[in-house]
């Protein structure tokens, strides 16, 4: 089920086991009128999983076995539909809480968990009270946001007023249907540390499995697979994540949680996403085989959990390989240069990067850091040196390949000559008649 605008794209996928229910203005209705979508889904079920067609007989009703979403925007809708169709989902109230950054903070605070100072901002009238409660510098973001757009660091009350006015003027539903929830913002005290990505698998209210998938450095200029965090620190991060999920009330499915890990301040929850991770390395099963702490088929796990089954997970002490990605242009540069550039960019950016493989996560990361330091020190000379090293490495590989081929051919012809000598010796040894 999705907007009718993607019907043409989905149509080629439709088959005996795949069907699509197109809904006009799906994004808006998913926020404002989920009951209409539930009614459309029930009618779809009654029609045998096809759109009404008066020229054809109505097929027998169908029954769904599970429901899930890959987008956190539709977490509340998924629970609403699931409860209406009698499927296994987290409670609708919990899904609504998880979608609101303000409601998550309030639920964590009520549970006595560690949270940054925070305050809601409906409009400019709330600036004075929010600024006094949270302090500066602080971080401003929408209560209902997506892709880290309309989010910025603010240094003082004047900058907060200007940024709030700017963001709320530009936020509109044409930018994203999530803003049908409104333009309310939340101000939070700044959190420090590396950002760790954690995946939790829930079934009937229990965390049946978890995986630390990746880690951004504090400036987001390196990305490690898997994280470099020590085991004892992982335990603290996991405990906070599990307690947060319980405080929200989520009981089912795969939950992606982002946390800051700081040696002094300890673990802090950045946000809770009631859906599967979007990390490209974590999602790819082949990558999981090489880089994952555990061997997990994440997409397969989503299906299993939707059906109420526990997914298969291959546990191991450490992955085969560890990698660190060094980013030429960190996506948080706008934090340090111009926070007003945040809208329509979000956290992530695309650009050149270097990939380093190590025998453990710290080794891979240290190589990435050394490369960054050398690049900053040498400038364009570093690129020329690396290009020359790559060329030399390629040349040596070609020479080794040629040498291997020559050796193989030599052994081959020696083998032939030896075989011919052996045949001649055998013939001579035969008795004459």
């Amino acid at each position: 089920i999705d907007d009718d605008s993607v019907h043409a794209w989905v149509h080629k996928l439709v088959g005996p086991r795949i069907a699509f229910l197109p809904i006009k203005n799906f994004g808006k209705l998913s926020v404002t009128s989920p009951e209409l979508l539930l009614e459309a889904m029930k009618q779809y079920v009654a029609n045998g999983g096809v759109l009404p067609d008066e020229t054809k007989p109505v097929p027998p009703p169908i029954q769904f076995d599970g429901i899930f979403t890959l987008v956190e925007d539709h977490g509340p809708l998924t629970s609403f539909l699931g409860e209406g169709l009698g499927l296994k989902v987290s409670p609708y109230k919990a899904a609504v809480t998880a979608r609101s950054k303000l409601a998550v903070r309030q639920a964590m605070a009520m549970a006595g968990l560690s949270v940054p100072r925070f305050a809601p901002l409906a409009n400019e009238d709330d600036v004075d009270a929010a600024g006094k409660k949270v302090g500066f510098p602080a971080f401003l973001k929408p209560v209902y946001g997506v892709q880290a757009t309309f989010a910025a660091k603010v240094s003082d009350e004047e900058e907060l007023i200007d940024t709030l006015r700017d963001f709320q003027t530009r936020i509109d539903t044409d930018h994203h249907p999530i803003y049908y929830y409104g333009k309310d913002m939340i101000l939070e005290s700044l959190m420090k540390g590396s950002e760790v990505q954690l995946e939790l698998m829930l079934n009937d209210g229990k965390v049946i499995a978890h995986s630390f998938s990746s880690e951004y450095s504090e400036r987001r200029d390196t990305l490690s697979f898997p994280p470099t965090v020590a085991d004892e620190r992982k335990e603290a991060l996991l405990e906070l994540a599990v307690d947060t999920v319980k405080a929200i009330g989520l009981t089912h499915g795969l939950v992606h949680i982002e946390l800051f890990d700081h040696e002094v301040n300890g673990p802090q929850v950045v946000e809770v996403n009631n859906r599967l991770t979007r990390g490209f390395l974590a999602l790819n099963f082949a990558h999981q085989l090489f880089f994952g702490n555990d061997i997990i088929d994440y997409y397969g796990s989503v299906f299993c959990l939707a059906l109420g089954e526990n997914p298969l997970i291959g546990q191991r002490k450490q992955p085969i390989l560890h990698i660190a990605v060094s980013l030429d242009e960190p996506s948080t540069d706008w934090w340090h240069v111009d926070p007003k550039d945040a809208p329509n960019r979000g956290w992530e950016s695309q650009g050149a990067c270097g990939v380093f493989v190590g025998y453990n996560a710290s080794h891979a990361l240290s190589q990435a850091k050394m490369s960054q330091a050398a690049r900053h020190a040498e400038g364009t000379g570093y690129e020329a040196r690396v290009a020359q090293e790559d060329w030399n490495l390629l040349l040596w590989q070609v020479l080794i390949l040629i040498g291997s081929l020559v050796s193989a051919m030599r052994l081959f012809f020696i083998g032939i000559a030896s075989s011919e000598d052996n045949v001649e010796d055998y013939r001579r040894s035969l008795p004459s008649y």
Side-chain angles (χ1 to χ4, degrees), residues 157-172:
E157 183 174 312
E158 182 180 356
E159 187 175 20
L160 172 58
I161 293 174
D162 291 341
T163 305
L164 177 66
R165 182 183 301 143
D166 177 42
F167 284 179
Q168 291 191 326
T169 299
R170 288 196 278 167
I171 287 176
D172 61 65

Side-chain angles (χ1 to χ4, degrees), residues 192-198 210 212 215 218 227-242 259-269 293 362:
K192 298 180 180 180
S194 60
E195 184 180 320
V196 179
Q197 316 289 312
L198 173 62
H210 73 275
F212 287 93
E215 176 189 9
E218 187 165 356
T228 62
V229 181
D231 289 342
E232 60 271 15
R233 302 191 69 81
K234 286 182 180 179
E235 292 178 5
L237 290 165
L238 177 61
E239 181 180 0
L240 177 60
V242 172
L259 306 104
F260 277 132
D261 177 52
H262 193 267
E263 293 183 358
V264 177
N265 300 334
Q268 292 276 4
V269 170
N293 267 331
S362 297

Side-chain angles (χ1 to χ4, degrees), residues 71-268:
V71 184
E72 73 263 27
D73 302 348
H74 302 315
L77 176 63
T78 301
S79 287
F80 189 85
L81 295 178
E83 289 182 347
L85 297 172
L87 303 174
K88 184 169 284 190
V89 290
S90 287
Y92 175 62
K93 180 181 178 181
V96 170
T97 298
R99 193 61 194 91
S100 165
K101 293 177 173 58
L102 176 60
V104 167
R105 293 302 189 205
Q106 291 170 335
M108 292 179 66
M110 288 184 63
L113 302 179
S114 175
V115 293
R117 298 183 302 277
F118 68 92
L121 287 160
N123 50 52
E124 293 180 34
D125 294 337
D126 299 326
V127 166
D128 182 61
K132 290 178 179 178
K133 180 180 180 181
V134 175
F136 296 98
F139 196 73
L140 179 69
K141 57 186 176 181
V143 170
Y144 296 94
V146 62
Q147 297 175 345
T149 51
F150 299 108
K153 175 183 175 182
V154 289
S155 301
D156 50 41
E157 183 174 312
E158 182 180 356
E159 187 175 20
L160 172 58
I161 293 174
D162 291 341
T163 305
L164 177 66
R165 182 183 301 143
D166 177 42
F167 284 179
Q168 291 191 326
T169 299
R170 288 196 278 167
I171 287 176
D172 61 65
T173 54
D174 289 335
H175 178 77
H176 196 284
I178 194 65
Y179 298 120
Y180 280 108
Y181 279 114
K183 300 181 179 182
D184 287 1
M185 310 288 285
I186 180 173
L187 187 70
E188 293 184 346
S189 57
L190 289 183
M191 294 180 285
K192 298 180 180 180
S194 60
E195 184 180 320
V196 179
Q197 316 289 312
L198 173 62
E199 322 307 325
L200 296 181
M201 296 186 185
L202 310 177
N203 198 351
D204 288 331
K206 297 180 181 179
V207 178
I208 60 170
H210 73 275
S211 175
F212 287 93
S213 54
S214 59
E215 176 189 9
Y216 279 103
S217 62
E218 187 165 356
R219 280 189 60 89
R220 257 179 131 83
D221 56 352
T222 59
L223 181 59
S224 298
F225 296 90
T228 62
V229 181
D231 289 342
E232 60 271 15
R233 302 191 69 81
K234 286 182 180 179
E235 292 178 5
L237 290 165
L238 177 61
E239 181 180 0
L240 177 60
V242 172
D243 289 343
T244 298
V245 166
K246 290 181 179 178
I248 294 171
L250 296 174
T251 60
H252 203 77
L254 213 153
V255 182
H256 172 71
I257 301 182
E258 299 167 2
L259 306 104
F260 277 132
D261 177 52
H262 193 267
E263 293 183 358
V264 177
N265 300 334
Q268 292 276 4

Side-chain angles (χ1 to χ4, degrees), residues 14 89 93 102 112 242 297 326 343 356 404 426:
V14 174
V89 290
K93 180 181 178 181
L102 176 60
V242 172
D297 179 356
S326 172
F356 302 85
S404 299
Y426 175 73

